[in-house]
Amino acid sequence: MAQFSDEKLKKVNEIIARYPAGKQKSALIPVLHVAQEEFGGWLSSETMDYVASLLKLEPIEVYEVATFYSMYNLKPVGKYVFEVCQTGPCMINGSDEIIEYIKDKLGIKVGETTADGLFTLKTVECLGACGYAPMMQLGKHYREHLTKEKIDAIINECERNAVTNN
């Protein structure tokens, strides 16, 4: 069964302690972030069940939240996750073409991961940076005013970082 390291369990308990007794469900979103970080970048059913047990919730309550938000990965993902906005302003500014370019460049479809495990492509709803469209989130950072050339540079940067950090 999945279990947090002592360090992460301490962090989870600190998060839970922020909320009044009996209101531990309020800690669900930040605890899911910790779980995703701790267990390989995604949330398995086993991991979600573990989070439910820690928060004294029914597993379905955790599944409802994890499946609602695109920030949670419900299957293994690559080291670099391209989350491309596909809502109105980004579409008007070419996000469809950017998505197609990434698919062709990496040889994957939306929701897939490259064979080498480096890249996953996801489409997401509005990321709140409409003035910088088309854009995507890569880790904790936004990449804005995307073009094919910028996508090439981002892929090259990620590949270089993967070699350097392995």
Side-chain angles (χ1 to χ4, degrees):
M1 176 173 181
Q3 286 193 318
F4 286 121
S5 64
D6 290 342
E7 176 188 336
K8 294 295 182 181
L9 187 56
K10 181 179 177 192
K11 183 174 183 177
V12 165
N13 287 327
E14 288 170 0
I15 292 168
I16 294 168
R18 295 178 193 160
Y19 303 98
K23 300 293 183 185
Q24 67 277 3
K25 186 174 183 177
S26 300
L28 181 54
I29 287 176
V31 171
L32 284 174
H33 282 297
V34 173
Q36 185 163 272
E37 179 184 309
E38 176 85 344
F39 301 115
W42 69 289
L43 299 171
S44 66
S45 296
E46 178 184 4
T47 298
M48 290 186 281
D49 291 349
Y50 174 59
V51 168
S53 71
L54 289 175
L55 297 177
K56 298 177 179 61
L57 301 173
E58 292 299 320
I60 189 66
E61 294 176 275
V62 177
Y63 302 160
E64 289 169 343
V65 171
T67 58
F68 180 79
Y69 292 105
S70 63
M71 61 192 159
Y72 299 117
N73 301 308
L74 302 178
K75 61 183 182 178
V77 293
K79 180 175 179 118
Y80 301 101
V81 181
F82 289 6
E83 297 179 90
V84 183
C85 178
Q86 65 171 359
T87 47
C90 281
M91 287 180 75
I92 289 169
N93 285 289
S95 67
D96 285 349
E97 291 84 9
I98 293 297
I99 293 164
E100 287 303 314
Y101 185 73
I102 295 169
K103 286 165 52 177
D104 292 344
K105 183 85 175 169
L106 298 178
I108 58 175
K109 297 176 184 163
V110 172
E112 292 182 343
T113 299
T114 56
D116 61 7
L118 269 186
F119 299 100
T120 297
L121 174 61
K122 291 173 65 174
T123 54
V124 295
E125 295 304 314
C126 187
L127 291 167
C130 303
Y132 307 102
M135 59 84 59
M136 71 176 184
Q137 186 167 344
L138 175 59
K140 295 182 179 182
H141 303 282
Y142 282 179
R143 300 298 181 101
E144 302 159 339
H145 300 295
L146 296 173
T147 62
K148 291 177 182 179
E149 294 77 19
K150 284 186 177 183
I151 293 298
D152 289 342
I154 292 167
I155 291 170
N156 290 335
E157 174 189 334
C158 292
E159 289 171 337
R160 279 193 315 276
N161 287 340
V163 168
T164 304
N165 296 326
N166 279 338

